[in-house]
Amino acid sequence: MTNPMLELVGLRKNFGGLMAVDELDLVVRSGEILGLIGPNGAGKTTVYNLISGIYKPASGKIIFQGENITGLRPDQVANRGVIRTFQIASLFKELSVLDNMLVAFHLQSRAGFWRSMLNSNYSRHEEKRFRKRALEILDFMGIGSLKHEHTINLPHGHQVTLGLAIALAANPRMLLLDEPLTGMNPEEVNTMVSRVKQINQEQGITIIVVEHNMRAVMELCHRIAVINFGKKIAEGVPDHIRQNHAVIEAYLGES
Amino acid sequence: MNKNNRIKSLLLLVFTIIGFLFPVIRNDPYTLSLLLIIFVFIVAAVGFRLIYITGRLTIGQAAFMGVGAYTSALLSLNFGINPWLGLLIGGIAAGILALGIGYIVLRVGGVYFVIITLCLAEISKLFWLWWRPVTYGNSGLIDVPGFSIASFQFGINKIPYYYLSLIIMLVALFVMYRMERSRIGIALHALGQNDVLAEHLGINRTRYRVLAFTTASFFCGVVGSFYAHYIHFVHPDQFGVMPSIMIQIYGIAGGIGVFFGPIVGSFVVAGLTEFLKIAKEFQPLIYGPLLVIIMLFLPKGLIGLPQMFFKSSKK
Ligand SMILES: Nc1ncnc2c1ncn2[C@@H]1O[C@H](COP(=O)(O)OP(=O)(O)O)[C@@H](O)[C@H]1O
Ligand SMILES: [Mg+2]
């Protein structure tokens, strides 16, 4: 529980003169759910973009399970088991729900080029296995009945759910969730929160959650880190964060 | 779904059999020569689509036909390399070139990529014109040897060329079909629809795009080489922007959304071209509006026609 899964060391990223992430140090422990909160524009998504390799940091290091992954491409980061979701549900819009899932099994495929091209027994079995697993995950997420739907037809809540299902299908060691509760009604929020908990407990996946719904964050997370203007202003267990003055100020200052 | 597939397989089988029996049913040199050119363009148009599904629209594929044609023609003229081997070498030359170029240019998307490939088509043509000591520039290469099997020369007989073209097409289609149907194809489609997400699921976007580009261009090289040994003449004008645009028209008009779209498009549009031959230089005047009409009213291309008809009659 205490050894670090991911370490951000002195991470910086600027857009021109704007410091989006500023000297950020953060440790994510193996097996925990860490909440990453802060007002709009605080730099949360940018932190994800740095970890997942969309941006290269101006300075600083990103260490995942002891390996320096700073500056790797997104597919290389994914290959190491760090899988993220996107703030605005990001899907393959013209593929069916099931095909969306199958894309995510890419990393687990061992069939290689020729076996895939020749439709060998191995690759056929592998695909069958992936399909089965994809359906299991969809069922777990409660959208199994939608497997043949085109994603473009799904309501928002289901799109977000599918986004998470895809991430799960990629067999992550660590999940980065970006505002997974946005636009959900209270009932959907509850279901999502308990699913994320289940993913963490049953599959042992370490999770970072960026989220504005404070009640959900408090309930879900083991620890919370608060950032504002790209800097970390507080870190600790939910009860500690609730009473932190800097945090209250940051949020009050925003509205 | 399963039933649909069975119907598709059956249709495919029927068309393949018709393809093989056609010269027996109708041994007419004019029709055979038309068909075998259509087969050539089908390979290029299906390749165009293979690249398209990864989210890259190219209008430079004829350049790779040119590479195949010149490579193979020059090798046979200057070094006596057998045209059969030339088919393969022409394909490999085009493939290697595509691999190198692809690694650089496939990183850019959208309209930039379109323009780059357009330039590529034009540059390749200028290159053949410029490299006179070898290519004879605007005079082109004449007397490019034809194919033979042992002592049997294909000569001016269309039938063996027809069969060779048919077989090359079937092989190319088979390979590209398998690629799309496999795990690789899922990755290619994923890139075309959302490359950021695809990349975050571990798909190396440059590598997969290069794979599609190289495969399509390899087959363009092969059919280019075939073409050279079939008409015994290679000239820069055969591979400029215009044929590249034709390849694109075949693909889009037929229906870029499905594998068989470009095949239908090649038959219909190339057939129509033949029909319009009387119009000669006014052909583009007919093509242009035709393409516009198809894109406006048939978003799924010609291959979407029966489906539209079926749907509206069911209502
Ligand atoms: N690609 C970009 N170009 C310029 N500025 C950006 C870019 N991405 C984010 N920013 C800026 O960086 C800051 C942090 O943004 P972001 O990480 O999206 O915040 P959060 O996710 O916490 O709401 C904001 O001021 C935002 O405007
Ligand atoms: Mg954000």
Side-chain angles (χ1 to χ4, degrees):
Chain A
M1 189 77 182
T2 47
N3 53 330
M5 185 97 179
L6 180 77
E7 284 172 85
L8 310 181
V9 186
L11 211 57
R12 292 170 72 126
K13 170 73 191 172
N14 61 304
F15 298 105
L18 177 88
M19 267 298 164
V21 176
D22 197 358
E23 288 291 337
L24 183 70
D25 294 307
L26 189 68
V27 173
V28 186
R29 297 170 187 165
S30 186
E32 77 174 340
I33 303 181
L34 177 81
L36 184 61
I37 64 171
N40 264 327
K44 305 177 297 289
T45 299
T46 306
V47 171
Y48 277 9
N49 287 339
L50 288 168
I51 298 171
S52 76
I54 289 193
Y55 300 140
K56 292 192 186 0
S59 62
K61 275 193 298 192
I62 303 166
I63 317 254
F64 179 70
Q65 295 196 313
E67 183 195 3
N68 188 346
I69 60 163
T70 323
L72 293 187
R73 289 192 313 266
D75 58 294
Q76 296 171 313
V77 175
N79 196 11
R80 283 157 177 75
V82 182
I83 304 291
R84 71 175 288 186
T85 66
F86 291 83
Q87 191 168 338
I88 294 159
S90 186
L91 303 166
F92 304 107
K93 288 264 156 70
E94 276 158 45
L95 298 182
S96 71
V97 168
L98 188 59
D99 282 342
N100 265 266
M101 296 292 286
L102 290 179
V103 178
F105 285 93
H106 180 83
L107 280 173
Q108 290 158 69
S109 173
R110 295 287 169 267
F113 179 80
W114 291 109
R115 281 198 290 200
S116 304
M117 283 295 286
L118 298 172
N119 199 16
S120 68
N121 262 336
Y122 183 90
S123 73
R124 274 203 303 267
H125 278 128
E126 189 182 70
E127 194 184 321
K128 228 185 235 165
R129 197 152 50 76
F130 290 165
R131 272 174 198 278
K132 192 165 156 263
R133 181 77 191 114
L135 290 175
E136 282 167 15
I137 295 172
L138 287 175
D139 282 336
F140 167 70
M141 295 301 293
I143 50 174
S145 59
L146 302 174
K147 60 186 178 221
H148 294 310
E149 286 291 321
H150 271 235
T151 37
I152 213 164
N153 302 329
L154 298 181
H156 173 79
H158 286 332
Q159 292 200 3
V160 176
T161 310
L162 178 59
L164 180 53
I166 292 172
L168 275 182
N171 199 20
R173 291 187 206 180
M174 178 164 196
L175 272 177
L176 316 179
L177 308 180
D178 201 349
E179 307 202 9
L181 306 175
T182 306
M184 289 191 165
N185 64 39
E187 194 184 334
E188 287 171 323
V189 167
N190 285 339
T191 328
M192 192 57 131
V193 166
S194 63
R195 285 222 181 86
V196 173
K197 271 186 179 167
Q198 237 178 312
I199 292 166
N200 171 252
Q201 279 161 14
E202 290 171 13
Q203 306 184 36
I205 298 171
T206 308
I207 300 175
I208 311 184
V209 193
V210 165
E211 182 49 54
H212 283 298
N213 182 332
M214 279 310 131
R215 195 185 54 77
V217 169
M218 295 291 165
E219 189 191 330
L220 189 58
C221 300
H222 301 121
R223 288 191 316 127
I224 294 171
V226 189
I227 60 174
N228 198 12
F229 299 113
K231 284 191 166 73
K232 188 166 73 181
I233 56 170
E235 186 175 358
V237 295
D239 279 338
H240 171 76
I241 295 298
R242 232 191 292 265
Q243 284 139 28
N244 187 300
H245 286 290
V247 177
I248 294 164
E249 238 166 68
Y251 276 92
L252 290 180
E254 188 202 10
S255 58
Chain B
M1 195 101 157
N2 233 331
K3 195 181 148 205
N4 217 336
N5 273 346
R6 214 168 303 152
I7 294 174
K8 232 189 249 170
S9 310
L10 198 71
L11 268 176
L12 265 181
L13 192 71
V14 170
F15 276 113
T16 311
I17 291 172
I18 292 177
F20 275 101
L21 290 182
F22 193 85
V24 184
I25 305 164
R26 203 175 152 179
N27 183 6
D28 157 30
Y30 168 76
T31 316
L32 290 184
S33 64
L34 174 61
L35 281 173
L36 70 85
I37 291 302
I38 290 178
F39 296 161
V40 164
F41 275 96
I42 284 177
V43 172
V46 170
F48 162 79
R49 181 177 167 277
L50 187 71
I51 301 164
Y52 173 83
I53 61 175
T54 73
R56 291 290 182 270
L57 193 129
T58 155
I59 15 183
Q61 283 315 91
F64 296 103
M65 291 172 80
V67 172
Y70 269 101
T71 305
S72 181
L74 286 170
L75 285 176
S76 64
L77 285 171
N78 297 332
F79 303 104
I81 302 268
N82 191 314
W84 290 103
L85 192 57
L87 282 178
L88 192 65
I89 299 177
I92 291 173
I96 290 175
L97 190 71
L99 188 77
I101 293 174
Y103 251 101
I104 302 161
V105 304
L106 283 163
R107 287 164 203 272
V108 292
V111 73
Y112 302 103
F113 183 76
V114 179
I115 292 169
I116 289 172
T117 54
L118 188 75
C119 294
L120 199 73
E122 203 50 25
I123 290 170
S124 76
K125 183 174 145 180
L126 293 175
F127 178 77
W128 305 125
L129 280 171
W130 167 80
W131 203 19
R132 280 234 276 297
V134 176
T135 63
Y136 296 95
N138 201 22
S139 317
L141 298 172
I142 52 169
D143 292 334
V144 179
F147 294 93
S148 57
I149 299 172
S151 64
F152 168 68
Q153 302 272 335
F154 281 20
I156 54 160
N157 190 347
K158 299 287 181 205
I159 295 179
Y161 280 105
Y162 171 88
Y163 277 114
L164 179 54
S165 179
L166 178 67
I167 290 167
I168 291 174
M169 175 188 74
L170 289 174
V171 171
L173 292 186
F174 178 74
V175 171
M176 290 192 271
Y177 184 77
R178 274 306 317 150
M179 183 172 278
E180 191 176 342
R181 276 308 155 115
S182 71
R183 179 185 65 81
I184 299 161
I186 294 180
L188 298 179
H189 276 283
L191 280 173
Q193 291 190 23
N194 187 342
D195 55 1
V196 174
L197 180 59
E199 206 178 13
H200 279 82
L201 295 170
I203 294 165
N204 182 331
R205 56 163 126 182
T206 307
R207 184 188 298 166
Y208 276 87
R209 286 193 170 123
V210 168
L211 176 65
F213 192 57
T214 304
T215 307
S217 303
F218 167 82
F219 286 119
C220 269
V222 173
V223 292
S225 159
F226 165 81
Y227 187 70
H229 296 291
Y230 162 63
I231 59 164
H232 313 298
F233 174 57
V234 183
H235 188 277
D237 280 346
Q238 293 163 335
F239 311 107
V241 171
M242 207 43 211
S244 287
I245 290 179
M246 292 312 300
I247 292 168
Q248 186 201 9
I249 291 180
Y250 295 161
I252 294 174
I256 200 78
V258 286
F259 186 85
F260 294 97
I263 301 175
V264 172
S266 302
F267 274 114
V268 174
V269 183
L272 204 70
T273 312
E274 227 12 65
F275 192 68
L276 291 174
K277 255 207 171 138
I278 346 144
K280 226 37 189 160
E281 61 267 37
F282 295 108
Q283 268 183 33
L285 276 183
I286 301 169
Y287 274 143
L290 185 76
L291 192 67
V292 171
I293 290 170
I294 289 175
M295 289 202 290
L296 280 180
F297 298 107
L298 292 175
K300 289 184 174 169
L302 292 164
I303 208 163
L305 252 180
Q307 196 191 343
M308 260 170 73
F309 190 72
F310 186 63
K311 260 193 191 149
S312 57
S313 68
K314 223 165 63 169
K315 270 179 193 165

